[in-house]
Each structure stands twice: as structure tokens, then as C-alpha cells.
Amino acid sequence: MTRRDVSRATAIATILAIALVLAACSSGSSGSTAPAPSAPPGGAVVVAQDLKFDRQTIAVPANQAAPLLFENRDSAPHNVTVMAADGTKVFTGETFGGPESRTYQLPSLTAGSYKFQCDVHPDMKGTLTAG
């Protein structure tokens, strides 16, 4: 093998390795661009895709249990946890990989502002308003 052949083989191997890494990095999402599903009556909806929530705010009625439709479009596991202002967890939803959906039943929340996040990926977060 000549030096030129070795250089060509090395370049091809490098390109293939980069392609494999890029393919592995992109496998965390289903790639769906479908619109978010409709919220269940008296509840809210949130979608996880590309390691983020599709919205930063959701709202549910105060002083009554409410459904939260959670759609995970990533293959990575996600959930939704709701916390009071002091950080106390008031609800923790099941963690699951996607693409799949779950309808969580949120407990009755007093009127006010709460934080929500994914326990697996705490940078995925937003605000839930009970009102």
C-alpha cells in the first residue's frame, strides 16, 4: 500500500466514524414535527421532544384534580414532576421512554404558581399555574 492509499483509507475511516457519532447523537428524538395533542378536558398537555418541553407554561384549574397529558417524543426517558415554590414535590409522574404518552392525574392544587420539570433532565422545566 502506498502512502497515498493509507491517507485515503484513513480519511474514509475518519468520515465513517464521524457519521456514526452523528447518527448516534440524533437518535434521542423521534423527529416528529406533529402538532401537540389537545389537552384533556379540564387539564393540560405538554410534549417532550429534543430534550426539552414544547412549552414553558401550563395551566390547570385550582382546587380540583386535573389530567395532564404528557407525550414523550424522545427515545430518552422523561417524566413530569410538579413542585411547590419551596421545592417540595407535590406530584411525580411515571418516567418512560418514547415515543409514548401517559395521562397523569394531578392532585388538587391550591391557586398559585408551581414549577414543573423532568427529573431525568432537570434543565427541562417550566411553570404550572393553578387558577
Side-chain angles (χ1 to χ4, degrees), residues 44-125:
V45 63
V46 66
V47 176
Q49 185 169 359
D50 298 327
L51 299 176
K52 59 186 174 194
F53 289 129
D54 70 329
R55 60 201 69 208
Q56 299 302 305
T57 60
I58 56 177
V60 297
N63 304 313
Q64 67 182 46
L68 173 62
L69 175 58
F70 175 53
E71 183 174 315
N72 182 356
R73 294 184 180 173
D74 289 339
S75 60
H78 298 299
N79 79 328
V80 175
T81 290
V82 178
M83 297 163 292
D86 66 1
T88 303
K89 291 183 179 183
V90 296
F91 172 81
T92 299
E94 175 187 5
T95 301
F96 62 95
E100 200 166 326
S101 299
R102 299 274 194 286
T103 300
Y104 300 140
Q105 191 65 28
L106 299 177
S108 176
L109 300 171
T110 57
S113 186
Y114 298 79
K115 297 176 184 177
F116 71 92
Q117 73 175 34
C118 171
D119 287 333
V120 181
H121 305 96
D123 287 342
M124 294 174 61
K125 57 189 170 186

